Amino acid sequence: MQVKTNSVQVHELSLSLSEQPDSITLSCAGSADTRTSKQLEEQLRDVHAKAVARQLRGVVVDFQKLEFMNSSCFKSFVSWLSRVQALEDGSRYTIEFKSNPAFHWQSRSLQALSCFASDLVRVTA
Amino acid sequence: MKATDAHFELSFSPNMDLVNVVRRFAESFYERLLDDASLTARITLTTHELLENAIKYAVDGQSWLRTDVRSDGETFTIEVVTRNRSDRRFAAELKARFEEMEAIKDPSAFYLSLMRRSTAQSDASGLGLGRILAESEMTLTCELKDDEVLIRARASGMCQPITSNNGVIKNEGA
């Protein structure tokens, strides 16, 4: 199986994209704050474009090493979900968030994302 | 939570690079006093959001943060307060946002409406205060005097168990 990976470090946020034939995994680690929101937004737009072009059924976002995320970066995920919602029926894909129960903020923030797009978001620990 | 009456206060020149440092310090402070991981996460999130706002909108490069934790062993009160000087435009936007928040009955539904609105905004997220209301379950008040902005977030309750809705974001009215 061919796997293509691409990693970027922006201040205290590390983003790693792993592309497999039938899936994409975006791993976020560290702290996502105001200084990193632009790069995160660009990364999420890139993931969305790839998912649409490859007609993927699902994308995985790994938050297991994500210590904190501020509201600017949270908004980038809201915008991403909104873009997926805007796709035609049959073109939408699901987003699975792998969470870390030790980071308590994640359960609340991911619950909010689930409510925003309950048909698209799946949260696993 | 043990009986306590503790606070810390910080006054510094805005520097976004310091926010994470302050958040981690505040988290350790709350952890030690609250002995409640979920409550600590709620207050830490609030501290980060308010501090970033204070830094972002300070016109003179100066921000101030104070947090108070009080408990008699049975009940607790926690306050996070930021203060900064801002321009008129931001003060007017803030005033309008707080007037809107005064009328809300369901923080979760309000937060979801902010999330929907945020997708049409290209600059500021506009989600920080809603996140404090819904995710941190804290009340918010704002005092505007001349060009000074003071924002106060407050949480109170029983020490054990926490008599809250445990941060569940409901989808009512979505």
Side-chain angles (χ1 to χ4, degrees):
Chain A
M1 181 183 291
Q2 195 175 14
V3 178
K4 199 167 112 184
T5 59
N6 181 25
S7 298
V8 61
Q9 178 78 34
V10 190
H11 294 287
E12 296 180 49
L13 176 66
S14 171
L15 298 169
S16 179
L17 190 65
S18 172
E19 292 187 61
Q20 294 158 330
D22 57 354
S23 68
I24 291 177
T25 299
L26 175 66
S27 299
C28 306
S31 280
D33 57 44
T34 294
R35 302 168 302 165
T36 65
S37 60
K38 188 179 173 190
Q39 287 80 3
L40 177 63
E41 173 73 22
E42 288 171 0
Q43 183 72 269
L44 297 184
R45 285 181 182 275
D46 183 46
V47 170
H48 178 67
K50 285 184 164 76
V52 170
R54 293 171 53 188
Q55 299 181 313
L56 295 179
R57 306 315 306 156
V59 168
V60 176
V61 178
D62 189 344
F63 273 6
Q64 291 180 86
K65 292 181 180 175
L66 187 62
E67 176 192 345
F68 187 79
M69 180 166 63
N70 81 338
S71 56
S72 304
C73 293
F74 181 76
K75 181 204 166 184
S76 295
F77 283 94
V78 173
S79 299
W80 179 20
L81 288 170
S82 183
R83 284 193 289 276
V84 180
Q85 284 176 326
L87 294 173
E88 291 178 4
D89 288 345
S91 299
R92 296 187 195 111
Y93 55 90
T94 59
I95 302 173
E96 177 190 349
F97 288 92
K98 288 186 176 178
S99 67
N100 183 344
F103 296 133
H104 287 260
W105 65 269
Q106 289 188 6
S107 63
R108 294 164 185 274
S109 295
L110 292 175
Q111 171 90 32
L113 289 180
S114 294
C115 285
F116 181 77
S118 57
D119 53 334
L120 301 177
V121 173
R122 197 158 68 92
V123 180
T124 57
Chain B
M1 189 191 304
K2 296 174 186 172
T4 189
D5 185 354
H7 79 271
F8 74 82
E9 199 171 306
L10 287 173
S11 178
F12 57 93
S13 293
N15 183 338
M16 281 296 177
D17 292 337
L18 293 176
V19 176
N20 287 334
V21 175
V22 174
R23 186 192 70 241
R24 292 185 185 111
F25 162 73
E27 186 172 31
S28 298
F29 178 84
Y30 302 139
E31 266 173 358
R32 181 66 65 89
L33 292 171
L34 303 177
D35 194 27
D36 181 327
S38 179
L39 181 58
T40 293
R42 287 164 49 197
I43 311 305
T44 301
L45 185 147
T46 295
T47 304
H48 187 107
E49 294 291 356
L50 289 185
L51 193 55
E52 272 202 346
N53 271 357
I55 290 173
K56 199 184 299 180
Y57 297 111
V59 290
D60 60 356
Q62 299 294 316
S63 295
W64 178 86
L65 165 75
R66 178 181 168 112
T67 182
D68 285 88
V69 178
R70 296 191 192 92
S71 171
D72 59 9
E74 293 182 359
T75 61
F76 70 85
T77 303
I78 301 166
E79 279 191 354
V80 181
V81 184
T82 55
R83 191 176 65 212
N84 62 277
R85 292 179 61 218
S86 76
D87 63 29
R88 287 183 182 182
R89 181 173 160 266
F90 173 67
E93 288 175 0
L94 202 58
K95 186 167 181 257
R97 176 56 57 89
F98 270 85
E99 284 172 352
E100 183 184 10
M101 290 195 301
E102 280 175 17
I104 66 162
K105 292 186 171 62
D106 184 341
S108 301
F110 175 69
Y111 187 34
L112 283 171
S113 74
L114 286 182
M115 288 164 71
R116 290 190 195 96
R117 270 189 267 169
S118 76
T119 61
Q121 297 168 334
S122 58
D123 48 0
S125 79
L127 292 178
L129 297 178
R131 201 177 187 206
I132 292 170
L133 284 177
E135 291 189 31
S136 295
E137 298 177 76
M138 298 184 80
T139 59
L140 282 164
T141 55
C142 176
E143 295 169 31
L144 299 171
K145 189 177 178 185
D146 299 324
D147 62 352
E148 188 177 278
V149 174
L150 186 145
I151 297 181
R152 187 187 310 274
R154 191 170 189 270
S156 60
M158 304 296 292
C159 292
Q160 289 292 340
I162 306 300
T163 55
S164 68
N165 69 358
N166 207 25
V168 174
I169 311 297
K170 295 173 291 183
N171 201 14
E172 292 171 1

